[in-house]
Amino acid sequence: SARSWLGRGGPFRLGIVLSSVIGGARIPAGPRSFRSTDPSRTAETVAEVSLADAGDLVAACRAARAAQDAWRDVPAPVRGQAVAAIGRLVEANKAALARVVTREVGKPYAEALGEVQEIADTCAFFLGEGRRLYGQTVPSEMPDKQLFTFRDPVGVVTVITAGNFPVAVPSWYIVPALLCGNAVVWKPAEYAAACAEAFYELFAHAGLPDGVLNVVYADGPETFRGLERALDEGLVDKVGFTGSTEVGSRIGELCGRHLQTPCLELGGKNPMVVTEDADLPLAVEGALFSGFGTAGQRCTSLGTAIVHESVHGEFVRLLDEATRAAAVGDPAGEVLFGPMIGERFADGFEKVLGWIGPGHTVYGSSATGRITAGAPRAGFAGDPEAGLFYHPVIVDGVGPGDELFMNETFGPLVGVTAYRTMDEAIALANAPGYGLSAAIYTTDPAKVFAFRRQISAGMVSVNNSTSGAEAHLPFGGNGRSGNGSRQSGMWVLDQFTRWQSMNWDTSGRLQKAQMDVLEI
Ligand code: UN1
């Protein structure tokens, strides 16, 4: 069973090079491979994957196309049963799957458990949707004429995901896509290959027919080449992508050429406005969780706290104090955050640290940059030389002239700035041009509604942090955060189905719409 497979160590079995699964079969290992390492101990390999090429991605789309014909005809309530079975397997393997997440991407175990729970929640939501996928009956302008709407699956859905939520975010696409009767080609992040394997095996054990879910391990350039060819050949009907704004816009371009609208879930520079009447300790707690949780590597991570000038000094003092007291280190223990996901993320964050300028005041545990034995941190738990651990950094005095203020940092760094009027706070919050998640801490309802109306954000939190979206509300962003598409809950059904309308005239006459309408 899947339980014993994960229990035995699953993808950690040594000496096995994982390869892509197309049409239910592993493809032979190719000449290039990728080693996914443990970010807490980068010398340790977690999984080795054979890298597929563009042709393999096209083949996977072809296999998906072939399998989708039969899957579409499986009644939606029965597809819902498959989703229920996946949910049960995820629940039964929760701890084992969370351990894989913690080990491979360095997410603290408690958060990893939450991430796995998010898959189960997604399954719980959609298994019932299999019995609902409603169409409508609609009144006609004319007598003896019936109007209907139907939801049909789009066909083949290609899903490309990042490694910061290596199992929850894929489930947001894959579970509803399958439920709606589509076949899926999933390109997970190669540095989260063990997570992808564990996820795939659970889905396969739930009894999905071969070819309905295909997994392709490929690097960025081969994925682009393959996706372009598959789109040219008409093998892809919808692309779902979670990742950087830059890559998302390239995917959008590619899809646009084929008149397709992808589902894009991109970066964020998520603001938190703290008003003069706010519960300050609550706001600080929220800033700590959303600024530093997952080492700042969530798309919903706090970017900048925009704090009323009358409480700004106190906010910074309390946040600095809380940050100094927070445990950082081995994600298997109880820590606020663990390592960066991988070298690529560590390098990216090093670059961001270079943006800190002379006009800024930097607070942090002891220094900025990497935690090493030479640059220690009080209370650090782990081997500082072995992993990609960074100090939490608070940078006060940032503004729209700074790269730090305008761009996502994807690391444990929180910017702070002060404001005078609510208009000024909202202008600052909107300035970077993202639009994913935004929070306001206030006790004044008038400020809540002024903020909600004027902020460009797909998600607004009131007296709660920017992170921690629930799995049945629309998730997604505006501007640099995406193309307005929304995931999760019933809203995502419009991504993975297309509406068909049908009119049926039972009058036996040609009744012409607009022309033969009865006068009263
Ligand atoms: C992401 O970082 O891509 O709301 C998703 C949250 C999580 C999901 C984040 N539930 O922070």
Side-chain angles (χ1 to χ4, degrees), residues 440-477:
I440 183 164
Y441 280 80
T442 186
T443 49
D444 178 354
K447 293 196 183 96
V448 170
F449 285 100
F451 182 73
R452 190 214 71 72
R453 214 176 49 248
Q454 295 171 80
I455 191 77
S456 174
M459 298 170 286
V460 174
S461 299
V462 183
N463 295 331
N464 186 23
S465 82
T466 53
S467 299
E470 296 185 34
H472 52 283
L473 268 182
F475 188 103

Side-chain angles (χ1 to χ4, degrees), residues 118 164-165 169 172 242 265 297-300 466-469 475:
E118 216 166 317
N164 60 333
F165 278 82
V169 167
W172 294 358
T242 295
E265 207 267 273
Q297 301 165 110
R298 295 181 195 135
C299 58
T300 57
T466 53
S467 299
F475 188 103

Side-chain angles (χ1 to χ4, degrees), residues 175-485:
V175 170
L178 294 175
L179 185 276
C180 290
N182 302 287
V184 174
V185 174
W186 177 31
K187 203 300 274 183
E190 57 275 33
Y191 51 85
C195 295
E197 272 295 311
F199 182 100
Y200 172 75
E201 290 287 341
L202 288 175
F203 276 55
H205 276 81
L208 288 179
D210 289 346
V212 165
L213 175 60
N214 306 275
V215 184
V216 177
Y217 297 111
D219 62 16
E222 287 301 310
T223 301
F224 262 97
R225 271 193 283 278
L227 183 62
E228 185 162 13
R229 274 178 49 192
L231 282 162
D232 281 344
E233 290 182 31
L235 294 170
V236 176
D237 303 294
K238 188 82 185 182
V239 177
F241 172 74
T242 295
S244 70
T245 303
E246 187 201 346
V247 176
S249 91
R250 288 181 57 202
I251 288 183
E253 240 177 85
L254 210 56
C255 291
R257 261 188 258 156
H258 295 83
L259 308 179
Q260 288 201 18
T261 317
C263 182
L264 299 175
E265 207 267 273
L266 312 176
K269 185 73 189 177
N270 309 296
M272 166 197 277
V273 169
V274 183
T275 66
E276 60 275 39
D277 47 64
D279 178 336
L280 223 48
L282 188 67
V284 167
E285 208 185 334
L288 195 72
F289 171 69
S290 59
F292 300 118
T294 321
Q297 301 165 110
R298 295 181 195 135
C299 58
T300 57
S301 290
L302 169 62
T304 308
I306 301 165
V307 188
H308 190 264
E309 57 176 2
S310 63
V311 289
H312 162 258
E314 182 65 355
F315 177 87
V316 172
R317 192 187 67 75
L318 289 174
L319 183 59
D320 181 36
E321 198 179 282
T323 305
R324 282 171 195 275
V328 174
D330 190 336
E334 282 183 26
V335 291
L336 175 62
F337 66 90
M340 304 298 289
I341 297 165
E343 303 282 356
R344 189 187 309 176
F345 295 85
D347 292 348
F349 189 53
E350 295 274 4
K351 192 178 118 206
V352 164
L353 292 172
W355 294 345
I356 298 174
H360 302 143
T361 313
V362 181
Y363 298 82
S365 51
S366 59
T368 59
R370 186 95 176 253
I371 299 174
T372 60
R377 181 179 199 279
F380 178 81
D383 180 348
E385 301 296 342
L388 305 169
F389 296 100
Y390 278 78
H391 288 279
V393 183
I394 302 164
V395 184
D396 192 17
V398 292
D402 295 316
E403 297 262 31
L404 262 187
F405 184 87
M406 297 300 283
N407 296 298
E408 179 176 51
T409 53
F410 229 63
L413 186 151
V414 172
V416 186
T417 192
Y419 78 90
R420 264 194 203 127
T421 65
M422 205 49 204
D423 283 349
E424 203 186 332
I426 290 167
L428 284 166
N430 281 332
Y434 288 85
L436 190 64
S437 181
I440 183 164
Y441 280 80
T442 186
T443 49
D444 178 354
K447 293 196 183 96
V448 170
F449 285 100
F451 182 73
R452 190 214 71 72
R453 214 176 49 248
Q454 295 171 80
I455 191 77
S456 174
M459 298 170 286
V460 174
S461 299
V462 183
N463 295 331
N464 186 23
S465 82
T466 53
S467 299
E470 296 185 34
H472 52 283
L473 268 182
F475 188 103
N478 310 328
R480 295 167 78 190
S481 295
N483 55 349
S485 57

